């Protein structure tokens, strides 16, 4: 389903942005003092308004990262809310940083709410977060492959909507709960996902749960799902 593709792109875009914010504030002694600079940085780089309503708490060992607390992100070049979370924690593995490698240790997000919109012109409101607007001008890699190595991802009680103005349809995912094991190329992992999916066109009211093993190879562009257990009603 296209909605799952867009949801994954949204997660990736928001996750990268929140990860960048966490990495920035983790490098400061008192990150709460630097909230205005972080907000201004997001405004300049992404042309979106970031709200940091909670206290930022740092963690330095064995991983370096930040608990960002309650935050919200606006739409592109607008003050309308695009996404909000009750709490978000992103941490980076410390030792690889010493050799200039950025490896995400954990991503934990609670009560995420986001609205994905596809306009009548076919453009998505997450294009700037996923790089969709700059594919033609994207710089070439400097020889190294993209390294993905995440210890775990936790998403608790998320709710997302997808409004397709071209097709005149609207989808909603709620009660989304996701837990993963390690996510790394060539390393067996696992996924535990449950959600409630609803739509008006076509009519849909589906409660589903999925548990599966997962292994992928970025170089070969190969994905394997093992021992899949899927239930729906």
């Amino acid at each position: 389903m296209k909605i799952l593709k867009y949801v994954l792109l949204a997660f990736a875009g928001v996750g990268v942005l929140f990860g960048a914010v966490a990495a920035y504030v983790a490098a400061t002694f008192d990150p709460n003092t630097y909230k205005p600079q972080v907000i201004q940085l997001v405004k300049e780089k992404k042309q979106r308004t970031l709200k940091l309503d909670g206290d930022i708490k740092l963690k330095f060992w064995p991983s370096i990262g930040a608990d960002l607390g309650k935050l919200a992100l606006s739409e592109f070049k607008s003050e309308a809310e695009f996404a909000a979370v009750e709490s978000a924690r992103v941490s980076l593995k410390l030792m690889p940083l010493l050799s200039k490698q950025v490896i995400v240790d954990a991503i934990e997000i609670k009560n995420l709410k986001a609205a994905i919109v596809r306009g009548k012109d076919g453009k998505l409101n997450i294009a700037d977060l996923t790089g969709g607007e700059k594919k033609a001008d994207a710089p070439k890699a400097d020889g190294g492959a993209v390294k993905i190595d995440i210890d775990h991802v936790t998403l608790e009680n998320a709710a997302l909507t997808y409004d397709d103005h071209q097709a005149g349809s609207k989808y909603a995912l709620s009660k989304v709960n996701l837990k993963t094991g390690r996510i790394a190329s060539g390393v067996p992992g696992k996924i535990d996902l449950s959600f409630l999916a609803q739509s008006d066109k076509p009519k849909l009211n589906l409660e589903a749960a999925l548990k599966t093993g997962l292994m992928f190879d970025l170089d070969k562009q190969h994905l394997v799902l093992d021992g899949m257990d899927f239930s729906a009603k």
Side-chain angles (χ1 to χ4, degrees):
M1 294 174 64
K2 285 186 177 181
I3 182 176
L4 293 179
K5 174 184 176 182
Y6 296 147
V7 167
L8 290 174
L9 286 173
F11 279 138
V14 174
V16 167
L17 180 60
F18 289 167
V21 171
Y24 180 86
V25 299
T28 68
F29 182 74
D30 184 5
N32 292 287
T33 304
Y34 292 86
K35 281 184 180 181
Q37 287 90 329
V38 175
I39 293 171
Q40 184 61 31
L41 181 65
V42 172
K43 190 73 171 181
E44 291 177 355
K45 298 296 184 181
K46 293 297 181 180
Q47 299 183 58
R48 291 174 181 257
T49 299
L50 176 66
K51 294 181 180 179
L52 297 170
D53 295 331
D55 288 334
I56 299 173
K57 300 176 182 178
L58 298 184
K59 178 182 178 183
F60 293 99
W61 186 264
S63 300
I64 183 170
D67 185 342
L68 302 178
K70 187 177 181 180
L71 56 87
L73 186 67
S74 75
E75 292 281 2
F76 181 63
K77 295 182 179 180
S78 171
E79 294 301 314
E81 186 176 277
F82 159 67
V85 299
E86 182 178 303
S87 68
R89 187 175 75 86
V90 181
S91 60
L92 307 176
K93 293 183 179 180
L94 181 58
M95 297 308 293
L97 284 176
L98 301 179
S99 57
K100 298 182 180 180
Q101 287 184 316
V102 178
I103 300 178
V104 177
D105 180 51
I107 300 175
E108 299 176 0
I109 300 176
K110 292 183 179 180
N111 295 334
L112 166 67
K113 294 183 180 180
I116 305 170
V117 179
R118 185 186 187 193
K120 292 184 179 180
D121 57 0
K123 291 183 179 180
L124 294 170
N125 65 336
I126 58 172
D128 62 300
L129 297 176
T130 62
E133 294 185 338
K134 300 180 180 179
K135 287 183 179 179
D137 301 323
K140 294 182 179 180
D142 55 2
V146 176
K147 186 171 182 63
I148 298 177
D149 193 340
I150 304 173
D151 181 73
H152 68 274
V153 175
T154 301
L155 185 66
E156 183 180 326
N157 194 34
L160 302 105
T161 60
Y162 171 59
D163 195 352
D164 190 336
H165 291 175
Q166 273 194 334
S169 58
K170 189 172 184 177
Y171 299 84
L173 288 178
S174 59
K175 300 180 182 179
V176 181
N177 291 284
L178 171 67
K179 292 183 179 180
T180 77
R182 186 180 175 189
I183 301 176
S185 184
V187 177
K190 62 180 181 179
I191 292 178
D192 188 345
L193 171 68
S194 63
F195 60 88
L196 173 64
Q198 297 172 307
S199 72
D200 55 354
K201 191 189 297 183
K203 289 289 185 179
L204 176 68
N205 188 22
L206 174 70
E207 187 174 354
L210 169 69
K211 293 183 179 181
T212 184
L214 168 72
M215 188 166 70
F216 63 93
D217 189 319
L218 285 179
D219 295 331
K220 297 179 180 179
Q221 297 185 351
H222 187 59
L223 174 68
V224 175
L225 299 179
D226 180 50
M228 182 184 294
D229 182 3
F230 179 76
S231 61
K233 62 181 180 180

